[in-house]
Amino acid sequence: MASYFPRPSFVAIVVVFVLPLMMPGITTRPVLAIFRPSPWKIAHATFYGDETASETMGGACGYGNLFTNGYGIDTVALSSTLFNNGYACGTCFQIKCMQSKACYANVAFTTVTATNLCPPNWSKPSDNGGWCNPPRVHFDMSKPAFMKIANWKAGIIPVAYRRVPCIKKDGIRFTLQGNGYWLLAYVMNVGGGGDVSGMWVKGSKTGWIRMSHNWGASYQAFSTLVGQSLSFIVTSYTTKETITAWNVAPSNWKFGATYKANVNFR
């Protein structure tokens, strides 16, 4: 089967930056790029929760309240093959129902954001209940999103899907957790490919510190950064593009608070 994270196409529109391999002494150089939709592929989709989408809150990506953090009800849990150990968090997909009487003929597709993991169910066969068992490519949609393309009573439907750009109005957001010796940053509202492969943090009194992937959309640094303004470098998993968000959090930043950058991928 073809790769589940297809190589995107590019056109010269948006200025982002590529991070060189040399650390420290980071410099950036501008490139012109924009994330483009991938080819359509075939999979299946189910749904979880009810019409309120309350069961989709939280999730393996760590986005917390999907309403207050801007993801809403149009979300999806990915099978582990697609979830890619959390590196697919934040990716956006167009999904359309096909070859089923349950499909709504007047709906071309719906667009969803990956916010959760659909775990394997090894007690059931992959073609009868274990829909998210590897190596299956499967989408477990929020019920409101599923109901936009098909009658929910069908339970499971064949679908076509493709990766599409995540369109965001504002900059990348960082929710900060941890303690005086450990910083955990949840990265949200990521545009373009929607995904993140790496991060660096810089305090106003430090150089750039490489952060390690914790889980989902969170990255961590074991360093004392309290009382310093914080800047971040973020690299896209799919496109490998890198942007620098300077002075995102002021020196009096607080654990549990969310801070917004003025830059984003496109």
Side-chain angles (χ1 to χ4, degrees):
M1 184 174 290
S3 171
Y4 304 120
F5 294 91
R7 182 184 180 92
S9 303
F10 297 95
V11 296
I13 294 182
V14 178
V15 176
V16 293
F17 296 94
V18 171
L19 181 68
L21 296 177
M22 297 298 293
M23 294 287 287
I26 294 172
T27 58
T28 54
R29 61 183 176 88
V31 295
L32 300 174
I34 188 170
F35 184 84
R36 297 294 301 273
S38 70
W40 289 97
K41 296 183 179 182
I42 305 302
H44 285 81
T46 50
F47 66 87
Y48 70 112
D50 58 20
E51 287 85 346
T52 68
S54 59
E55 291 186 32
T56 66
M57 297 298 107
C61 290
Y63 294 140
N65 189 312
L66 300 180
F67 297 130
T68 59
N69 287 323
Y71 293 97
I73 60 176
D74 293 322
T75 62
V76 65
L78 303 178
S79 62
S80 56
T81 299
L82 283 172
F83 191 69
N84 193 25
N85 292 321
Y87 287 109
C89 286
T91 52
C92 298
F93 296 86
Q94 287 177 346
I95 299 178
K96 57 182 177 182
C97 181
M98 56 182 295
Q99 300 176 351
S100 172
K101 294 180 180 180
C103 298
Y104 293 143
N106 61 336
V107 179
F109 56 81
T110 191
T111 303
V112 293
T113 304
T115 61
N116 205 354
L117 167 68
C118 180
N121 183 355
W122 297 115
S123 67
K124 295 184 178 181
S126 298
D127 60 352
N128 186 19
W131 309 120
C132 291
N133 295 349
R136 288 183 65 97
V137 176
H138 189 83
F139 297 88
D140 199 20
M141 305 171 69
S142 71
K143 190 173 183 180
F146 186 96
M147 291 172 64
K148 289 183 177 181
I149 59 173
N151 187 321
W152 66 271
K153 293 182 179 180
I156 182 170
I157 54 172
V159 297
Y161 75 95
R162 65 175 179 173
R163 283 275 305 276
V164 293
C166 298
I167 308 301
K168 304 297 182 182
K169 294 181 180 179
D170 299 314
I172 298 173
R173 293 198 296 267
F174 304 85
T175 297
L176 306 180
Q177 301 287 354
N179 55 46
Y181 305 96
W182 171 57
L183 178 70
L184 182 67
Y186 290 91
V187 194
M188 296 180 285
N189 202 54
V190 180
D195 48 12
V196 174
S197 67
M199 281 181 54
W200 290 257
V201 61
K202 182 184 184 305
S204 51
K205 300 177 183 179
T206 74
W208 287 103
I209 302 167
R210 188 182 187 104
M211 306 181 76
S212 60
H213 184 220
N214 182 281
W215 178 251
S218 66
Y219 287 78
Q220 61 190 358
F222 294 91
S223 184
T224 303
L225 294 164
V226 174
Q228 303 179 53
S229 59
L230 302 180
S231 301
F232 294 94
I233 287 175
V234 182
T235 300
S236 166
Y237 186 91
T238 300
T239 67
K240 312 308 179 187
E241 297 158 353
T242 294
I243 55 177
T244 303
W246 291 101
N247 300 318
V248 174
S251 59
N252 62 344
W253 61 268
K254 304 295 183 185
F255 291 114
T258 300
Y259 300 89
K260 183 176 69 174
N262 60 4
V263 292
N264 211 331
F265 298 105
R266 296 289 183 266

